[in-house]
């Protein structure tokens, strides 16, 4: 063959693990037929014989012999005298097969052909890669840090595939260096142009669920079922588990002796605090368990609005709410109910006012900050120390002092 570069193209791709021999031959034939169409206007009368193992090929053009001077389509027909220069015994009406050398396509066409071949191979690789990772969405995957960017960490797996771990999909305490191995779940695969972009996540609830499967044999074997996972990445998570075998304690099996089984998961998630609770269809019991470690006095449930009033003694309120309001927020997400904390032990004659009543004097976002930690009435705020409120909210001390002044004026009147 005249074109060494094309032979090298064959050699470059024929051993590619993602391309079988039949597929490669189909790609090559498609590329050559496109080149023939450009050169001759049609490829219908061409036979292409390819041997990708040797990097060799033959192209044959078939034309019908017509009388001299009657050639209307030079690509489909050949004059009798020209045919007899190939074989002296040809007659009008017979078919002539003549080999077309690649050099006849022209140098520019050959260069374009090679480029088209490379493009088609890459397109095939990308399609395969897209399908490969689409099939493992939601599974845990490990890859190595290739380089760290401000908005994402770029990882590379053992096959050289690039995986993106965006900043918002990283646990806040995550810190990566080049060469570190990183675990996460394949969350999504997107086609950017013709190239697939593989997205990894470490903040997904699915990642924590899959870690339970990987680290706890009973979950992997199906003896324990993870019913639901909710989390504030890097801070706190709640996992509801159940077992159809009464002999198995699902919480004990997941946590292990002195936390031995769950310790590896906690460490993987940047010391995320994980509460494992027994799932139950008894809504009151489920809410009570979800608000652990607080001890609930009673619960009043409104099924229609999916709200629940949770009554607690004053000393249990802070436990139910948790640091930064995380405990009550996750309990609500886990159970599917909006939880309202009602404090017991407040004298009936001691009036109280909802914080929302002060919306003319206190901005809504400030009221929301107090609500996040379960403080939704005037007295619930006044009953807390200023420094405690500074620590537990995102509010400045000066802002809190202004709120306290406004609330006190209400009761002094």
């Amino acid at each position: 063959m005249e074109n060494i570069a094309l032979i090298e193209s064959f050699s470059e791709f024929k051993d590619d693990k993602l391309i079988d021999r039949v597929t490669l031959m189909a790609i090559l034939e498609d590329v050559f037929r496109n080149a023939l169409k450009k050169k001759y206007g049609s490829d219908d009368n061409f036979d292409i014989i390819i041997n990708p193992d040797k990097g060799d090929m033959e192209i044959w053009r078939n034309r019908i012999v017509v009388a001299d001077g009657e050639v209307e389509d030079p690509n489909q027909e050949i004059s009798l005298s020209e045919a007899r220069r190939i074989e002296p015994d040809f007659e009008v009406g017979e078919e002539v097969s003549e080999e077309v050398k690649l050099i006849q396509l022209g140098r520019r066409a050959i260069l374009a052909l090679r480029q088209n071949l490379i493009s088609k191979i890459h397109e095939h690789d990308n399609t395969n890669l897209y399908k490969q990772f689409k099939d493992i969405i939601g599974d845990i995957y490990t890859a190595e840090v290739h380089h760290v960017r401000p908005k994402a960490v770029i990882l590379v797996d053992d096959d050289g595939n690039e995986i993106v771990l965006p900043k918002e999909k990283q646990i806040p305490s995550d810190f990566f260096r080049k060469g570190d191995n990183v675990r996460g779940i394949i969350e999504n695969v997107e086609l950017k142009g013709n190239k697939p972009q593989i997205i990894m996540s470490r903040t997904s609830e699915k990642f924590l669920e899959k870690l339970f499967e990987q680290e706890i044999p009973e979950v992997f074997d199906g003896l324990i079922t993870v019913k639901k996972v909710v989390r504030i990445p890097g801070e706190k998570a709640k996992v509801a588990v159940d077992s159809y075998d009464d002999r198995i304690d699902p919480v004990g099996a997941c946590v292990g002796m002195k936390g031995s089984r769950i310790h590896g998961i906690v460490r993987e998630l940047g010391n995320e605090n994980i509460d494992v609770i027994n799932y139950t269809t008894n809504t009151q019991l489920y809410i009570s368990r979800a608000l652990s470690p607080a001890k609930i006095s009673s619960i009043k449930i409104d099924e229609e609005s999916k709200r629940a009033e949770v009554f607690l003694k004053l000393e249990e309120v802070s436990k139910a709410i948790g640091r930064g309001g995380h405990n009550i927020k996750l309990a609500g997400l886990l159970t599917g109910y909006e939880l309202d904390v009602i404090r017991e032990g407040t004298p009936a004659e001691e009036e109280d006012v909802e914080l929302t009543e002060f919306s003319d004097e206190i901005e809504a976002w400030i009221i929301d900050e107090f609500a996040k930690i379960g403080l939704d009435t005037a007295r619930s705020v006044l009953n807390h120390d200023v420094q405690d409120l500074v620590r537990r909210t995102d509010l400045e001390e000066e802002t809190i002092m202004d709120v306290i002044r406004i609330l006190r004026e209400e009761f002094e009147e």
Side-chain angles (χ1 to χ4, degrees):
M1 264 178 66
E2 299 88 347
N3 188 25
I4 301 300
L6 204 57
I7 295 175
E8 288 173 354
S9 295
F10 289 179
S11 301
E12 182 181 341
F13 299 121
K14 71 183 179 66
D15 294 325
D16 193 308
K17 63 182 176 60
L18 294 177
I19 302 177
D20 58 82
R21 189 175 185 278
V22 174
T23 304
L24 178 58
M25 288 177 69
I27 290 173
L28 290 169
E29 181 168 348
D30 183 53
V31 167
F32 286 120
R33 287 200 176 277
N34 285 334
L36 292 171
K37 283 177 190 175
K38 286 183 180 178
K39 173 72 175 175
Y40 298 104
S42 170
D43 68 318
D44 294 342
N45 56 315
F46 286 85
D47 293 325
I48 299 175
I49 303 164
I50 299 171
N51 186 342
D53 295 327
K54 293 182 179 178
D56 199 2
M57 63 163 294
E58 294 176 1
I59 302 174
W60 293 86
R61 178 162 63 158
N62 305 308
R63 293 187 286 179
I64 301 298
V65 178
V66 297
D68 289 355
E70 294 185 10
V71 175
E72 293 180 2
D73 182 354
N75 182 41
Q76 301 280 348
E77 299 168 336
I78 185 172
S79 66
L80 180 61
S81 56
E82 188 180 348
R84 284 180 172 171
R85 282 198 289 272
I86 300 169
E87 288 286 343
D89 53 353
F90 274 123
E91 297 294 340
V92 171
E94 292 184 330
E95 186 176 77
V96 175
S97 292
E98 184 182 11
E99 187 174 2
V100 176
K101 301 293 184 183
L102 279 179
I103 198 70
Q104 292 173 240
L105 298 177
R107 179 176 175 79
R108 291 182 66 182
I110 291 171
L111 290 173
L113 194 149
R114 171 178 164 75
Q115 202 58 42
N116 195 12
L117 170 62
I118 292 170
S119 174
K120 291 276 187 184
I121 295 289
H122 286 163
E123 187 180 315
H124 178 269
D125 282 354
N126 287 336
T127 301
N128 269 13
L129 191 63
Y130 179 80
K131 289 178 181 175
Q132 175 191 339
F133 279 91
K134 200 77 175 171
D135 288 342
I136 60 169
I137 285 178
D139 288 351
I140 286 184
Y141 204 76
T142 303
E144 186 179 294
V145 175
H146 189 260
H147 54 274
V148 180
R149 294 176 179 168
K151 293 186 178 180
V153 172
I154 308 302
L155 311 167
V156 175
D157 67 10
D158 292 341
D159 296 322
N161 300 315
E162 189 177 279
I163 297 159
V164 180
L165 176 59
K167 188 72 176 175
E168 64 273 16
K169 307 290 183 186
Q170 299 170 30
I171 295 168
S173 60
D174 279 344
F175 178 76
F176 302 115
R177 292 188 181 90
K178 185 177 174 65
D180 287 350
N181 279 328
V182 178
R183 277 202 297 179
I185 63 154
I186 301 301
E187 187 174 71
N188 197 16
V189 185
E190 303 168 352
L191 277 174
K192 298 286 186 181
N194 285 328
K195 189 176 180 182
Q197 186 179 66
I198 304 154
I199 307 295
M200 180 184 277
S201 172
R202 285 172 51 79
T203 57
S204 167
E205 282 83 5
K206 194 74 176 175
F207 181 39
L208 179 48
E209 183 181 335
K210 286 293 181 179
L211 285 172
F212 265 67
E213 282 185 22
Q214 209 172 69
E215 302 292 333
I216 299 160
E218 290 86 347
V219 176
F220 180 81
D221 293 336
L223 297 173
I224 293 174
T225 306
V226 175
K227 301 294 284 188
K228 190 167 184 179
V229 176
V230 292
R231 60 189 291 226
I232 298 168
E235 292 286 346
K236 191 174 179 65
K238 286 184 182 286
V239 181
V241 294
D242 195 15
S243 176
Y244 299 106
D245 189 337
D246 293 338
R247 295 169 297 179
I248 295 174
D249 170 18
V251 173
C254 290
V255 174
M257 189 73 71
K258 295 183 179 178
S260 57
R261 283 187 163 184
I262 208 166
H263 181 67
I265 300 174
V266 170
R267 193 170 58 244
E268 175 69 55
L269 301 181
N271 293 322
E272 193 169 302
N273 187 348
I274 302 173
D275 290 345
V276 185
I277 69 166
N278 272 316
Y279 174 79
T280 175
T281 53
N282 182 322
T283 305
Q284 291 215 5
L285 182 56
Y286 194 33
I287 291 172
S288 181
R289 288 173 178 174
L291 281 169
S292 176
K295 292 178 181 177
I296 313 302
S297 299
S298 62
I299 301 172
K300 184 181 177 182
I301 295 172
D302 183 344
E303 288 290 355
E304 191 174 331
S305 63
K306 284 289 180 181
R307 293 179 74 99
E309 291 182 342
V310 183
F311 294 86
L312 305 108
K313 292 180 180 176
L314 290 176
E315 63 269 21
E316 297 295 325
V317 171
S318 60
K319 295 178 189 175
I321 293 168
R323 184 169 65 87
H326 294 159
N327 198 59
I328 196 166
K329 178 182 178 181
L330 290 175
L333 291 171
L334 190 71
T335 59
Y337 285 79
E338 191 171 332
L339 306 178
D340 297 323
V341 170
I342 309 296
R343 297 158 188 80
E344 291 183 332
T346 305
E349 66 276 7
E350 191 176 89
E351 62 171 324
D352 204 350
V353 184
E354 294 286 331
L355 276 186
T356 50
E357 296 293 321
F358 296 89
S359 56
D360 290 342
E361 299 170 274
I362 303 172
E363 293 183 53
W365 69 271
I366 297 174
I367 294 172
D368 288 343
E369 280 299 312
F370 285 115
K372 283 180 186 176
I373 61 169
L375 306 181
D376 50 13
T377 67
R379 290 202 184 278
S380 67
V381 174
L382 292 173
N383 287 337
H384 282 78
D385 179 71
V386 173
Q387 292 308 314
D388 183 47
L389 293 174
V390 170
R391 182 178 60 80
R392 293 175 57 196
T393 68
D394 287 331
L395 301 173
E396 298 289 336
E397 183 175 342
E398 186 180 349
T399 304
I400 292 170
M401 292 296 290
D402 283 342
V403 170
I404 288 173
R405 177 184 52 77
I406 293 167
L407 300 181
R408 279 178 178 161
E409 284 175 0
E410 169 70 20
F411 293 113
E412 285 170 3
E413 291 174 3

